[in-house]
Every structure is written in structure tokens, then in C-alpha cells.
Amino acid sequence: MRLFGGLRPWVWQRLSAIYMLLFLAVFATVLANADGMDFARWRDWIASPPVSIAVTLFFAAVFLHAWIGLRDIVLDYIHSAPLRALVLGLGLFALLAMAFRIAIVLFSLHASTI
Amino acid sequence: MSSPTSRHVSSLNLLKIRFPIGAVASISHRISGAILVLGLPFLVEAFALSLRSEAGYDALLSLVRNPLTLIVLLVPVWAVAQHVLAGIRHLLMDAGIGSTLRDGRRSARMVLIGGALGTAILLWILWP
Amino acid sequence: MRLSIYRYDPDQDCAPYMKDYDVEPEDSDKMLLDLLLRIKSTDESLSFRRSCREGICGSDAMNINGRNGLACITPIKDLREPVELRPMPGFPVVRDLIVDMEQFLAHFRSVRPYLVNNDPPPERERLQTPEQRAALDGLWECILCGCCSGFCPSYWWNPDKFLGPAALLHSYRFIADSRDTTTAERLAFLDDVYRLYRCRSIMNCTEVCPKQLSPSRAIEHIRINVLKSSM
């Protein structure tokens, strides 16, 4: 089995990019038109199911996109196998840790609103 | 006789290359992407803080409203503008739009100027 | 006119160095190669490849003032002085401006740069419509000088694994050929993180191609074809 894919990460990189672009455009538009935003409204807005799903997908796209980009940079500039494994391992760990953190934040948001 | 490559020097000297504008746009895309990855922990923490409590939300807001913070934010804000614009350029090229040398050069210039311009606009919007 | 030329003889020099030459162009000297030949007549130790002297054989590819090109079709009048001549970036130097093209040519061979068709041969010839033939224009003209691959950062970082713009252009020349029956195999061979996907669409290849071809466009077409074949 090959460790790194060819077409598939290329496609995911683009799909995640398109989703992030759409999300940011909508997110920025909504925020710009939200008068009198405060903590309660912000929290309720993020907690509403459609926004929660969109935000979850956004962070998933961010971490996936970051992983593919990191991988490309490492494949280009780092050629020693142990160093490669180290950087990719640390990167993957950091991205998974951040994904876990986001999952907990969003989950606790719903747990407390129920 | 040993293999001819084994004892020969490589001729690569990056300082002696005259890089075309497309290469500048490309490396800017990569550098801005790397900056964004390094900034991810801050984004994640800021998001978590904004949702944790009223105090956290207000603290974050006052932090962003501080002009000093904006100076620090200059770099990631440029990275966002640059990476988004260069990314759109690549998506269009994948779709076969603007793939000629002339268009590629022009869009590379637009992306580089747009990145700086976008930074200014974003900072202006964020300015307290 | 002053030229600053990269010199390196592995049998004598411990490191490469730049050597300056002053040469007076004669009226008949139009191209950079003419100047190089003039220098060669006074310093025969200077080594470079050349053959057809008209941009067909692709032997005299080199880095001219920071960009790759063919000395034989680079007009003298366009050159900024001192003219800095270096061997093609990223290629191992054999001597002076002569580089080792072995790996580059191995990548070329790896894409099977010839028509493969296992159908029974027709009576006379395999016909193409004018449109099918036109699809090959901008692809078959490549002379394998190496200017593109030698100017591609992705090729500099992974010259052993990334096929480089020249080999990929040739690969696409046969993917695009209506008479070739092995498109699926060709695409499967290219669906690899190194062989094809090290290309980041920098377009340096297209910038320097002395035949005004567009390897970057060919690579885009390949990626779309790989995508379509997977769906």
C-alpha cells in the first residue's frame, strides 16, 4: 500500500477549499449584518443545529486541508525519513488534538442547551 | 568508472534564479498556508473562549478591539487574504480558466496585489 | 561584451567558480551561442553542448541570466550585461555548462513515449479526424531540451521521484492521442503523489519553454483525466 495518495488528497484539498470559501462568505455576511451581537446571541447562533453542523464541517475542512498542505510541504523539503516521520507525526497529533478540542466545545454547547 | 552523478555538484543556486511572477505567487501561497497552520491553535482557542462564558467572550472582543492586537494580526490577516486569493486562482486554473501563460502571469500579479489590498481592507473592517 | 560563465571541472577544481570573459561580437554574431563559440576558440577548456544551432536539437539549454533557455536562439541584443551563464539548475553538473540528463531521460522513458495500440493493425494506417490530430498540437513539438524541468521547483526538490514537466508533457501527448489504447494504464501510472502530484501549478515550465509549449496546461489536462477516469 502506498503511504500517500495521489488523486484523492488532491480532490479533498479542493473540496475542502471550496467548502471553506462558501462557509467564510456566508459566515462573514451573517456576522456583518448581525446588529447588537453579544455573548448570548453568538452562543445561541452557533448552537443552532444548522450552524453547528456547518461549523463542524468547516473545522473538519480546515484540519483536512491543513494536513494535506503540511504533507505537501514535508514531501517537498524534508527528505530524511525519520525527520519526515517526526514532523508528520507531530503535525497529525496537533491537528487531531485541535479537532478533539473543537468537538468537545461544540458538544458541551449542546449538552448545556438541552 | 563511478556513476557520473555520484561525485558531481548540483547546479542549483536559488539566489541566481530569476523567478517569474507565477513562482512568487506560488511560494506566497505556500508561506501563507504555513502561517495559517501555525495560527490554527490560536483560532481554536479563540473559538473555544468565545463560547465558554460571557467573560471569555468579552475578553476576546476587547482583545480584538485593541489596536496593538491588530498589529500582531497583520500577519495572519495577510495570510488569509493571500491564501484565499491564490487558492481561488488555482481552483479556476483547475477548471481551465486562465491557464495560459499570459493569464497566469496576470492573475499572479492580481493575487499578490489583492493580498496586500485585502489585508488593508480586512484590517480597516476590524479596526475599532 | 562581458560574460560571466560557470566553470567546473571535477577532475581539477574542488569547487565551481565563475569566470569572466570579454568578447567583442562581430556583425555575424546574432545569438548567444555565437559568442560562446567565439570564447571557445580562445579558451578551448570551456565545455558546453551544442549541435544544430537553431533550436531543434535542444542541446544547448542553460541558465541565462537566471532563466533557462537555448543559447542558439537567445538573441545577443536582448541580454543584460554581464551575461551570467550557469548550467541548468537542479541537474548534476558533468562539467562547466554540461549537465547530466540521465535521470531526466529515465523519467521520459518511464512514461512510454510511444504509441501503444494492441488492436489488429488496419490495412493501411490508423486514421485520425482533423480534430483528433489537432489535439496533439502543442505537445509533439517538445525537443527534450530540459529547460522546463530544470526550472521547476518541484523537480528540484524531488528529481528522482517527480517526473517533471517534460516527461509529463510527453505522457499527455500519448494520453491525448486517439490511436493509443492504453490511456487507462497511463493514467493509473501517473496517479501517484510523486510522479504527477508534486506539480503545484507554478508555471515556471511554461515560462521558459523555448518552443512556447505549455507543460503546465498538459499537466492540468492529465489531472482532469485522472479525476474523470476515477469516477
Short mmCIF file of all heavy atoms in Angstrom, two decimals, chain C residues 1-3 21-27 29 34-35 38-39 76 81:
data_model
loop_
_atom_site.label_atom_id
_atom_site.label_comp_id
_atom_site.label_asym_id
_atom_site.label_seq_id
_atom_site.Cartn_x
_atom_site.Cartn_y
_atom_site.Cartn_z
N MET C 1 31.81 42.81 -24.90
CA MET C 1 30.68 42.31 -24.13
C MET C 1 31.20 41.34 -23.06
O MET C 1 32.06 40.51 -23.34
CB MET C 1 29.73 41.57 -25.07
CG MET C 1 28.37 41.38 -24.48
SD MET C 1 27.19 40.87 -25.75
CE MET C 1 25.72 40.81 -24.77
N ARG C 2 30.65 41.50 -21.84
CA ARG C 2 31.17 40.66 -20.75
C ARG C 2 30.21 39.49 -20.45
O ARG C 2 29.02 39.69 -20.28
CB ARG C 2 31.39 41.50 -19.50
CG ARG C 2 31.69 40.64 -18.28
CD ARG C 2 32.45 41.41 -17.23
NE ARG C 2 33.80 41.74 -17.66
CZ ARG C 2 34.75 42.22 -16.84
NH1 ARG C 2 34.47 42.44 -15.58
NH2 ARG C 2 35.95 42.48 -17.30
N LEU C 3 30.81 38.31 -20.37
CA LEU C 3 30.06 37.13 -19.95
C LEU C 3 30.69 36.55 -18.71
O LEU C 3 31.92 36.50 -18.61
CB LEU C 3 30.04 36.06 -21.06
CG LEU C 3 29.13 36.31 -22.27
CD1 LEU C 3 29.81 37.23 -23.26
CD2 LEU C 3 28.74 34.99 -22.92
N TYR C 21 34.56 36.58 -19.10
CA TYR C 21 35.13 36.64 -20.44
C TYR C 21 34.68 37.93 -21.11
O TYR C 21 33.51 38.30 -21.02
CB TYR C 21 34.62 35.46 -21.30
CG TYR C 21 35.11 34.11 -20.84
CD1 TYR C 21 34.36 33.36 -19.94
CD2 TYR C 21 36.30 33.57 -21.34
CE1 TYR C 21 34.79 32.12 -19.52
CE2 TYR C 21 36.73 32.31 -20.93
CZ TYR C 21 35.98 31.60 -20.01
OH TYR C 21 36.40 30.36 -19.62
N ASP C 22 35.61 38.61 -21.75
CA ASP C 22 35.24 39.77 -22.55
C ASP C 22 35.39 39.40 -24.01
O ASP C 22 36.45 38.94 -24.44
CB ASP C 22 36.13 40.96 -22.20
CG ASP C 22 35.77 41.54 -20.85
OD1 ASP C 22 34.60 41.97 -20.69
OD2 ASP C 22 36.62 41.54 -19.95
N VAL C 23 34.31 39.60 -24.73
CA VAL C 23 34.34 39.20 -26.13
C VAL C 23 33.63 40.26 -26.97
O VAL C 23 32.61 40.83 -26.56
CB VAL C 23 33.71 37.79 -26.31
CG1 VAL C 23 32.29 37.76 -25.76
CG2 VAL C 23 33.72 37.35 -27.76
N GLU C 24 34.22 40.57 -28.11
CA GLU C 24 33.64 41.57 -28.99
C GLU C 24 32.79 40.87 -30.05
O GLU C 24 33.32 40.13 -30.88
CB GLU C 24 34.77 42.36 -29.67
CG GLU C 24 34.46 43.83 -29.86
CD GLU C 24 33.64 44.46 -28.73
OE1 GLU C 24 34.15 44.55 -27.59
OE2 GLU C 24 32.49 44.84 -29.01
N PRO C 25 31.46 41.06 -30.02
CA PRO C 25 30.62 40.38 -31.02
C PRO C 25 30.89 40.96 -32.41
O PRO C 25 31.04 42.17 -32.57
CB PRO C 25 29.19 40.69 -30.58
CG PRO C 25 29.29 41.35 -29.24
CD PRO C 25 30.67 41.91 -29.12
N GLU C 26 30.97 40.09 -33.39
CA GLU C 26 31.10 40.55 -34.79
C GLU C 26 29.70 40.70 -35.37
O GLU C 26 28.73 40.24 -34.77
CB GLU C 26 31.91 39.53 -35.59
CG GLU C 26 33.19 39.10 -34.89
CD GLU C 26 34.43 39.44 -35.72
OE1 GLU C 26 34.32 39.36 -36.96
OE2 GLU C 26 35.46 39.77 -35.12
N ASP C 27 29.63 41.32 -36.54
CA ASP C 27 28.31 41.56 -37.14
C ASP C 27 27.52 40.27 -37.36
O ASP C 27 26.29 40.26 -37.28
CB ASP C 27 28.47 42.28 -38.49
CG ASP C 27 28.76 43.76 -38.26
OD1 ASP C 27 28.62 44.19 -37.09
OD2 ASP C 27 29.15 44.45 -39.21
N ASP C 29 27.50 37.75 -35.49
CA ASP C 29 27.06 37.13 -34.25
C ASP C 29 25.69 37.64 -33.86
O ASP C 29 25.53 38.82 -33.49
CB ASP C 29 28.05 37.43 -33.11
CG ASP C 29 29.41 36.83 -33.39
OD1 ASP C 29 29.49 35.92 -34.23
OD2 ASP C 29 30.39 37.28 -32.76
N ASP C 34 26.70 32.05 -30.67
CA ASP C 34 27.80 32.58 -31.48
C ASP C 34 28.91 33.12 -30.57
O ASP C 34 30.10 32.93 -30.83
CB ASP C 34 27.29 33.71 -32.39
CG ASP C 34 26.21 33.21 -33.36
OD1 ASP C 34 26.29 32.03 -33.74
OD2 ASP C 34 25.31 33.99 -33.69
N LEU C 35 28.51 33.79 -29.49
CA LEU C 35 29.50 34.31 -28.54
C LEU C 35 30.24 33.18 -27.83
O LEU C 35 31.46 33.23 -27.65
CB LEU C 35 28.82 35.19 -27.49
CG LEU C 35 28.28 36.54 -27.94
CD1 LEU C 35 27.73 37.30 -26.74
CD2 LEU C 35 29.38 37.36 -28.63
N ARG C 38 32.79 31.79 -29.99
CA ARG C 38 33.91 32.72 -30.09
C ARG C 38 34.83 32.58 -28.88
O ARG C 38 36.06 32.57 -28.99
CB ARG C 38 33.38 34.15 -30.21
CG ARG C 38 34.27 35.09 -30.98
CD ARG C 38 33.54 36.35 -31.38
NE ARG C 38 32.71 36.18 -32.58
CZ ARG C 38 33.19 36.01 -33.81
NH1 ARG C 38 34.48 35.96 -34.03
NH2 ARG C 38 32.37 35.86 -34.83
N ILE C 39 34.21 32.46 -27.69
CA ILE C 39 35.00 32.26 -26.48
C ILE C 39 35.73 30.92 -26.54
O ILE C 39 36.92 30.81 -26.21
CB ILE C 39 34.10 32.31 -25.23
CG1 ILE C 39 33.56 33.73 -25.03
CG2 ILE C 39 34.85 31.86 -23.99
CD1 ILE C 39 32.47 33.84 -23.98
N ILE C 76 21.55 38.09 -28.85
CA ILE C 76 22.54 38.80 -28.04
C ILE C 76 22.02 40.16 -27.59
O ILE C 76 22.24 40.59 -26.47
CB ILE C 76 23.85 38.99 -28.86
CG1 ILE C 76 24.46 37.63 -29.17
CG2 ILE C 76 24.83 39.87 -28.12
CD1 ILE C 76 25.58 37.69 -30.18
N GLU C 81 24.06 42.85 -19.41
CA GLU C 81 25.45 42.52 -19.09
C GLU C 81 25.73 42.72 -17.60
O GLU C 81 25.14 43.61 -16.99
CB GLU C 81 26.40 43.40 -19.90
CG GLU C 81 26.52 42.95 -21.33
CD GLU C 81 27.60 43.75 -22.08
OE1 GLU C 81 28.79 43.53 -21.77
OE2 GLU C 81 27.21 44.57 -22.91
#
